[in-house]
């Protein structure tokens, strides 16, 4: 179907006037008449009866008009939507994040961003580092947040945060000192660890080997909240990023002690495809992430 002919039919039927349709379409009245004749000839159907200056829809014309009305209403919406994007008032940001960064850091960034960007939709999904890297390399998302450094020619990587890992213990755990962790405090203890392959698990295992700690691994858990609840219940101790237990420490449900080891830290990285086009909403979000990382752990602005 020739959409230009359909539009001529639509405005003629809507205005019930050849002259008004011609004015809207910026063509002559004879051109309007010619295009309607061509449309009707092509389908061998009469859509309009034109008697003098009177325009009357046939049954076929009524049906075609109802469809055309939806088509050109959508065209109008499309025009408005494009104008919104031109003025950066609408858009969508697709984010993939590792569980720890997505659960404990991103909500604060998104909250502040949303304060000034109500019409920007944000999709944030949690995944493992490898799946985030793979999807980012395939341009399936705008940005990603991972917890390990990578080298990939398709991906741009920026370190945005370094957080200390602490040892968490039940509130009634017997300690020689209350300000730092002594190896004898955890020697022979039951240990709750992250799943194999995770960054924190690798750091924990390295620390145990280095200090020749005799620990019994009783639980392997992939969720930080579950790990904290198990420690609260006295089922063991665990190593976890400092920020993830701030609330439990504040309320006295857990003890968190620093570990005197310069390698006992966890880093986070923001990644995106090297050829990714940055819309203004996306650029504003990325800039906000950098502003946040520069002042962390202070409150956002």
């Amino acid at each position: 179907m020739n959409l230009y002919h359909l539009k001529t039919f639509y405005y003629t039927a809507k205005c019930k006037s050849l002259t008004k349709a011609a004015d809207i379409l910026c063509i002559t009245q004879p051109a309007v008449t010619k295009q309607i004749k061509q449309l009707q000839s092509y389908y061998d159907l009469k859509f309009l009866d034109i008697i003098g200056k009177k325009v009357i829809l046939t049954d076929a014309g009524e049906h075609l008009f109802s469809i055309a009305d939806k088509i050109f209403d959508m065209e109008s919406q499309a025009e408005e939507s494009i104008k919104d994007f031109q003025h950066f008032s609408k858009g969508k940001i697709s984010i993939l994040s590792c569980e720890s960064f997505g659960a404990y850091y991103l909500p604060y960034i998104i909250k502040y961003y949303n304060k000034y960007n109500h019409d920007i939709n944000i999709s944030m999904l949690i995944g493992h580092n490898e799946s985030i890297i793979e999807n980012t390399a395939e341009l399936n998302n705008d940005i990603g947040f991972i917890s390990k450094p990578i080298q990939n020619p398709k991906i741009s990587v920026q370190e945005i945060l370094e957080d200390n890992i602490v040892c968490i213990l039940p509130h009634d755990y017997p300690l020689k000192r209350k300000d730092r962790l002594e190896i004898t405090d955890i020697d022979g203890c039951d240990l709750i660890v992250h799943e194999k392959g995770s960054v924190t698990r690798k750091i924990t295992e390295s620390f145990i080997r280095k200090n020749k700690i005799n620990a019994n691994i009783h639980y392997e858990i992939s969720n930080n909240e579950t790990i904290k609840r198990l420690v609260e219940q006295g089922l063991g101790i665990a190593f976890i990023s400092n920020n993830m237990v701030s609330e439990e420490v504040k309320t006295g449900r857990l003890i968190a002690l620093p570990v005197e080891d310069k390698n006992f830290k966890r880093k986070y990285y923001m990644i995106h495809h090297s050829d990714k086009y940055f819309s203004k909403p996306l650029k504003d979000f990325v800039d906000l992430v950098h502003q946040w990382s520069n002042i962390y752990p202070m409150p956002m602005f």
Side-chain angles (χ1 to χ4, degrees):
M1 175 175 283
N2 186 317
L3 288 179
Y4 194 69
H5 288 174
L6 180 64
K7 181 176 283 191
T8 301
F9 156 79
Y10 171 72
Y11 280 108
T12 301
K14 185 175 183 179
C15 300
K16 298 191 183 305
S17 167
L18 295 169
T19 303
K20 290 180 181 178
D23 289 342
I24 292 172
L25 297 168
C26 298
I27 58 177
T28 64
Q29 184 175 321
V32 171
T33 303
K34 181 180 179 180
Q35 288 178 27
I36 290 172
K37 285 182 178 179
Q38 288 174 337
L39 179 68
Q40 294 184 143
S41 176
Y42 183 83
Y43 290 104
D44 195 21
L45 277 172
K46 199 160 192 178
F47 300 114
L48 294 171
D49 280 323
I50 301 173
I51 305 170
K53 292 184 177 182
K54 196 170 184 179
V55 176
I56 303 169
L57 282 165
T58 65
D59 288 344
E62 290 277 5
H63 188 68
L64 181 60
F65 179 81
S66 67
I67 296 172
D69 189 47
K70 294 175 183 175
I71 291 172
F72 294 115
D73 179 59
M74 290 180 68
E75 180 189 47
S76 177
Q77 291 181 43
E79 289 284 350
E80 290 300 316
S81 177
I82 289 170
K83 288 177 183 177
D84 283 337
F85 278 103
Q86 286 175 330
H87 293 90
F88 310 116
S89 62
K90 283 191 176 180
K92 181 179 180 180
I93 298 173
S94 173
I95 302 169
L96 294 180
S97 176
C98 61
E99 188 256 342
S100 51
F101 193 86
Y104 298 97
Y105 301 94
L106 265 180
Y108 300 103
I109 300 170
I110 292 173
K111 178 183 177 181
Y112 188 84
Y113 182 81
N114 181 255
K115 185 176 179 181
Y116 300 99
N117 300 273
H118 295 295
D119 293 325
I120 305 300
N121 296 323
I122 294 180
S123 167
M124 195 268 282
L125 298 177
I126 299 297
H128 293 291
N129 284 325
E130 296 307 322
S131 67
I132 296 169
I133 295 164
E134 181 180 344
N135 276 282
T136 302
E138 295 299 322
L139 277 171
N140 292 330
N141 55 288
D142 293 317
I143 53 175
F145 295 94
I146 58 175
S147 57
K148 71 174 188 178
I150 61 164
Q151 288 186 336
N152 186 316
K154 290 184 176 181
I155 295 176
S156 174
V157 184
Q158 302 167 63
E159 182 183 325
I160 56 168
L161 179 67
E162 181 179 85
D163 200 8
N164 292 322
I165 295 177
V166 294
C167 179
I168 58 171
L169 311 98
H171 68 92
D172 57 354
Y173 197 91
L175 293 167
K176 291 183 176 64
R177 299 186 54 146
K178 298 289 184 181
D179 57 345
R180 72 169 184 266
L181 183 71
E182 300 281 355
I183 299 302
T184 53
D185 287 328
I186 58 174
D187 198 46
C189 67
D190 291 333
L191 194 60
I192 302 166
V193 296
H194 289 76
E195 76 279 13
K196 288 183 178 179
S198 72
V199 173
T200 306
R201 173 70 175 268
K202 291 177 181 178
I203 293 173
T204 299
E205 289 178 338
S206 175
F207 177 75
I208 289 172
R209 286 194 301 269
K210 178 181 176 181
N211 293 280
K212 299 179 181 179
I213 297 171
N214 178 29
N216 307 306
I217 297 177
H218 273 258
Y219 303 95
E220 294 185 21
I221 309 294
S222 63
N223 179 271
N224 289 302
E225 289 299 313
T226 304
I227 290 174
K228 291 190 292 183
R229 299 295 86 80
L230 290 174
V231 174
E232 278 187 48
Q233 297 301 316
L235 296 177
I237 69 167
F239 294 96
I240 200 168
S241 294
N242 184 49
N243 187 61
M244 297 177 193
V245 291
S246 58
E247 188 62 31
E248 288 83 2
V249 171
K250 189 184 299 182
T251 57
R253 290 150 57 194
L254 288 173
I255 298 170
L257 296 180
V259 178
E260 293 184 357
D261 188 321
K262 65 179 181 179
N263 296 317
F264 223 60
K265 298 178 183 294
R266 185 173 187 177
K267 295 183 178 182
Y268 294 96
Y269 305 84
M270 179 167 60
I271 63 173
H272 61 81
H273 194 284
S274 299
D275 296 326
K276 175 68 184 173
Y277 167 73
F278 273 43
S279 64
K280 187 170 186 304
L282 179 57
K283 183 179 183 303
D284 288 345
F285 188 88
V286 168
D287 288 345
L288 183 63
V289 171
H290 287 300
Q291 290 176 50
W292 169 83
S293 67
N294 287 334
I295 64 171
Y296 177 82
M298 297 296 290
M300 179 73 78
F301 308 103

